[in-house]
Amino acid sequence: MSRRAKSLTREMQKTSHERETDTGTKGMVVTAHPIASDIGRDILAKGGNAVDAAVAIQFALNVVEPMMTGIGGSGFFMVYQKKEDTVQIFNGHSRAPKAAYANMFVDENKEVIPFKERSTHASAVGIPGILSALDAALKKYGSMPLADLIQPSIDVAEEGVEVNWVLSNALEQHGHRLGEHAKSFFFPEGAALGEGDLLVKEKLANTFRLLQEKGIKAFYEGEIAEAIVAELKEEGGLIELEDLKEYSATVDEPVWGEYRGHKIASAAPPTAGGVTMLQILKILDTFDLSKYDIKSKEKYYLFLEAMRLAFADKVAFSGDPEFAELPTKGLLDEQYIKERLQYINFKRRNDAIDFGNPWKLEDDQKPPVKQPDDMEKSETTHFTVVDQWGNIASCTSTVEHPFGSGIMVSDYGFILNNELTDFDANPGGTNEPGPWKRPVSCKCPTILFKDGKPVLTLGSPGGPTIIASVFQTIVHYLDFGVSIKDAIDEARIFVTTGPLVEWEGEMDQNAKGELQAMGFDFGDEPSSIGNVQAIVIDGENGLLHGAADFSREGKAAGLND
Ligand code: GLU
């Protein structure tokens, strides 16, 4: 399937292109749904800042993109504060409950429980962290009351929202993941809601009202928390009231890298997203990509080998930094990158590519240990905002797989994540499940700086394809001189440690053939990779250029004088 999942007429393409790009002088919002983008822009128009708008957007996305994100999910919320010139990550990543244990995803014969089963079981649900992250960011930088930021989403939930083609496709393809309560909600009278049907969410609106009245704490203690625990207990889940009560988002430093003279801030572990994406860029920075065509086999070749090198390291060296030391410094070390470059031969796919030893470039040396790799692709959402003061909020938030665990907290109208499937199901490595631990994520909300000023912010959903989508958009934009919209829409490819290359339908077929002749193994069918939302900050002209990916109903909404 191509990323343009629906066949659009020329006229429709033109309209969607118009919706997906916009220019603003006083602010910009880009999300994967028009209603969420409009709500965010309205907040900016009322004088709210980037953090205010992002909080409002997160609630809105729970209503309009319920298969991707929601208050039962988690996320990394990145904030650039212009006045202080700081970048912080409000890290609302899920933690495993205290009762989690290393063998939780294997059966009594030590066989890994099949993915469909373990990912829809109550034990896959991590403590939802996104609300705690929003709360922390809002308390520190917000300027509007939480209640005002929730209200627009209550209105939409009560009035109802039309099911768009993205939700309708998700129900068609992933409806089988839904548990009993979610099934009766999305499949009233047994049939899936279709495009154009009205989705009214009374229960979710009431839950939002509770949060409006009592604040975010009401999610982690009291009737909502009790309902979560009861729902999960019934299905063999491990989360207790204490787990919810004790959960609190952390505020983390970003991880920093460079590319083509830009400084880049991205999310740090427990997401491997930032480090892996920056490692790929560091490898690519040593080549002059601009001398090749944007559709050339050379570009794709370098993308593929850089991804294979970095993902081999990602699988070997990622974990929760509260539980394991990670060689982050070594992975981005100049000398280490030089060693990794020797695997790039420009002749054939290098079968010798495996993880390296970044530890030897750290003060504290450790032998590398190979870890199991059973990453599954997921699809969630990314949104980003720049306000009139130049502050940025960029957030990748998720319920993990489409419709998360499929478990809906029935009286409260929201779905719970299955974030714990990001742990290695096979125990023994740094990313094995454990009490209070956070699984390795790939999310990487990112900001690029030039001469100390932010010039681009972007991010994507898509599990491990997040990394591929973000670095490829950056390279397309910086090396090939195309607009940010074209940089997003240019076909992407993806590979990790396995042989199979995933590719988008718009990829140049000659380049693909040449790469096959070099030994790369492409899947038969194209697939959709990531869903990037980005904002270019043109400080010189005082303009903000927003662009949304065409693979969903994204919208860029600018605010003008
Ligand atoms: N498994 C994903 C992660 O890396 C969830 C995010 C997404 O797919 O968008 O955290």
Side-chain angles (χ1 to χ4, degrees):
M1 191 181 66
S2 112
R3 239 181 328 140
R4 199 178 290 279
K6 263 185 54 149
S7 60
L8 302 176
T9 62
R10 215 162 242 293
E11 202 40 48
M12 283 163 83
Q13 279 184 23
K14 204 170 128 242
T15 346
S16 62
H17 196 281
E18 274 165 19
R19 193 193 63 236
E20 289 155 6
T21 54
D22 202 7
T23 300
T25 52
K26 281 189 74 183
M28 179 62 66
V29 173
V30 192
T31 84
H33 197 289
I35 292 179
S37 294
D38 289 344
I39 285 178
R41 183 182 41 195
D42 287 351
I43 296 295
L44 292 183
K46 283 187 182 139
N49 63 30
V51 168
D52 297 322
V55 169
I57 289 166
Q58 175 60 52
F59 281 97
L61 287 170
N62 192 160
V63 182
V64 297
E65 262 203 317
M67 63 296 199
M68 308 296 188
T69 186
I71 60 175
S74 76
F76 290 82
F77 188 90
M78 184 181 218
V79 176
Y80 166 72
Q81 206 53 22
K82 176 78 183 277
K83 234 206 250 100
E84 304 168 355
D85 193 23
T86 52
V87 182
Q88 290 162 87
I89 316 288
F90 292 84
N91 174 350
H93 195 35
S94 285
R95 283 183 189 275
K98 299 247 172 70
Y101 52 98
N103 283 327
M104 62 194 279
F105 296 122
V106 294
D107 63 19
E108 53 291 352
N109 303 320
K110 302 253 183 311
E111 296 286 335
V112 170
I113 299 167
F115 181 75
K116 164 80 173 65
E117 195 181 329
R118 72 174 196 271
S119 69
T120 52
H121 190 267
S123 59
V125 179
I127 302 164
I130 191 66
L131 283 181
S132 178
L134 297 187
D135 200 32
L138 196 63
K139 285 192 171 126
K140 197 155 180 193
Y141 294 120
S143 70
M144 288 174 68
L146 176 69
D148 294 0
L149 303 174
I150 299 178
Q151 188 58 45
S153 298
I154 294 179
D155 297 341
V156 175
E158 283 181 335
E159 281 158 23
V161 55
E162 269 187 30
V163 171
N164 67 0
W165 59 268
V166 188
L167 175 53
S168 153
N169 281 357
L171 283 168
E172 244 170 61
Q173 288 163 23
H174 306 285
H176 62 91
R177 300 184 57 82
L178 299 178
E180 189 193 333
H181 303 309
K183 193 98 182 190
S184 57
F185 182 73
F186 289 108
F187 287 68
E189 291 152 34
L193 289 170
E195 205 178 329
D197 286 348
L198 200 67
L199 191 59
V200 180
K201 299 185 165 183
E202 293 287 358
K203 287 179 181 168
L204 186 65
N206 287 336
T207 305
F208 283 2
R209 245 182 225 114
L210 266 174
L211 298 172
Q212 248 185 340
E213 282 159 26
K214 301 186 176 163
I216 296 301
K217 207 166 161 224
F219 183 87
Y220 293 98
E221 282 174 61
E223 62 177 282
I224 305 178
E226 281 158 23
I228 294 173
V229 171
E231 190 76 54
L232 291 176
K233 276 275 159 67
E234 215 172 280
E235 311 203 19
L238 303 175
I239 294 183
E240 301 285 347
L241 285 174
E242 281 300 302
D243 292 316
L244 287 161
K245 194 169 164 195
E246 281 179 37
Y247 182 89
S248 174
T250 57
V251 185
D252 302 345
E253 290 289 319
V255 57
W256 289 91
E258 281 136 48
Y259 189 67
R260 306 281 184 236
H262 293 73
K263 286 200 77 179
I264 307 181
S266 195
T271 174
V275 178
T276 310
M277 188 265 297
L278 293 173
Q279 198 191 3
I280 292 171
L281 287 178
K282 195 141 187 160
I283 292 171
L284 296 176
D285 207 17
T286 60
F287 297 93
D288 178 10
L289 275 149
S290 68
K291 73 177 186 213
Y292 306 117
D293 191 82
I294 195 165
K295 299 193 186 301
S296 65
K297 81 150 196 257
E298 288 85 357
K299 182 202 84 171
Y300 286 121
Y301 165 76
L302 285 170
F303 280 7
L304 288 174
E305 295 299 61
M307 275 191 274
R308 293 181 60 228
L309 285 162
F311 273 106
D313 280 349
K314 181 225 171 244
V315 174
F317 303 112
S318 302
D320 181 342
E322 284 181 11
F323 288 77
E325 278 182 65
L326 308 174
T328 304
K329 200 170 123 232
L331 286 167
L332 297 174
D333 184 278
E334 208 82 38
Q335 184 56 37
Y336 183 65
I337 297 294
K338 253 191 213 144
E339 277 173 34
R340 303 299 276 161
L341 284 171
Q342 290 165 16
Y343 288 88
I344 298 186
N345 58 32
F346 270 100
K347 290 192 188 84
R348 281 194 65 73
R349 175 188 190 273
N350 193 338
D351 294 335
I353 286 179
D354 205 342
F355 62 92
N357 184 7
W359 276 121
K360 66 179 184 217
L361 293 148
E362 296 262 346
D363 307 331
D364 188 7
Q365 304 193 4
K366 286 189 171 50
V369 186
K370 185 138 182 114
Q371 311 292 358
D373 176 16
D374 73 342
M375 284 185 295
E376 294 276 348
K377 228 168 129 178
S378 41
E379 266 299 335
T380 57
T381 207
H382 180 82
F383 55 95
T384 185
V385 185
V386 178
D387 67 24
Q388 58 178 306
W389 301 280
N391 306 308
I392 301 171
S394 184
C395 179
T396 314
S397 93
T398 187
V399 286
E400 183 70 16
H401 290 91
F403 303 101
S405 61
I407 300 169
M408 190 178 238
V409 186
S410 54
D411 290 337
Y412 294 83
F414 64 91
I415 278 172
L416 291 165
N417 68 80
N418 60 351
E419 196 78 14
L420 303 192
T421 49
D422 265 349
F423 281 123
D424 295 337
N426 248 329
T430 42
N431 190 32
E432 68 178 12
W436 214 235
K437 204 172 168 185
R438 296 163 298 179
V440 171
S441 161
C442 289
K443 299 182 196 80
C444 53
T446 295
I447 305 174
L448 277 73
F449 294 81
K450 180 92 192 182
D451 304 325
K453 296 200 175 69
V455 291
L456 172 65
T457 172
L458 76 167
S460 172
T465 73
I466 292 173
I467 294 164
S469 305
V470 170
F471 95 77
Q472 288 174 41
T473 303
I474 292 173
V475 173
H476 291 156
Y477 181 66
L478 292 182
D479 291 74
F480 298 101
V482 296
S483 71
I484 189 63
K485 175 62 173 153
D486 288 346
I488 293 172
D489 287 355
E490 184 61 40
R492 297 194 275 265
I493 52 171
F494 172 66
V495 68
T496 58
T497 51
L500 218 59
V501 177
E502 291 181 34
W503 54 286
E504 291 195 322
E506 297 79 9
M507 181 185 181
D508 185 277
Q509 293 303 294
N510 277 320
K512 181 164 151 268
E514 288 179 288
L515 290 161
Q516 280 167 323
M518 288 173 85
F520 290 97
D521 197 357
F522 282 74
D524 293 338
E525 294 293 324
S527 56
S528 180
I529 297 172
N531 176 263
V532 175
Q533 330 301 336
I535 301 175
V536 167
I537 303 139
D538 171 1
E540 217 167 281
N541 298 304
L543 294 175
L544 300 164
H545 302 284
D549 206 316
F550 64 60
S551 55
R552 291 188 201 163
E553 206 192 346
K555 176 171 176 174
L559 184 69
N560 287 289
D561 289 313

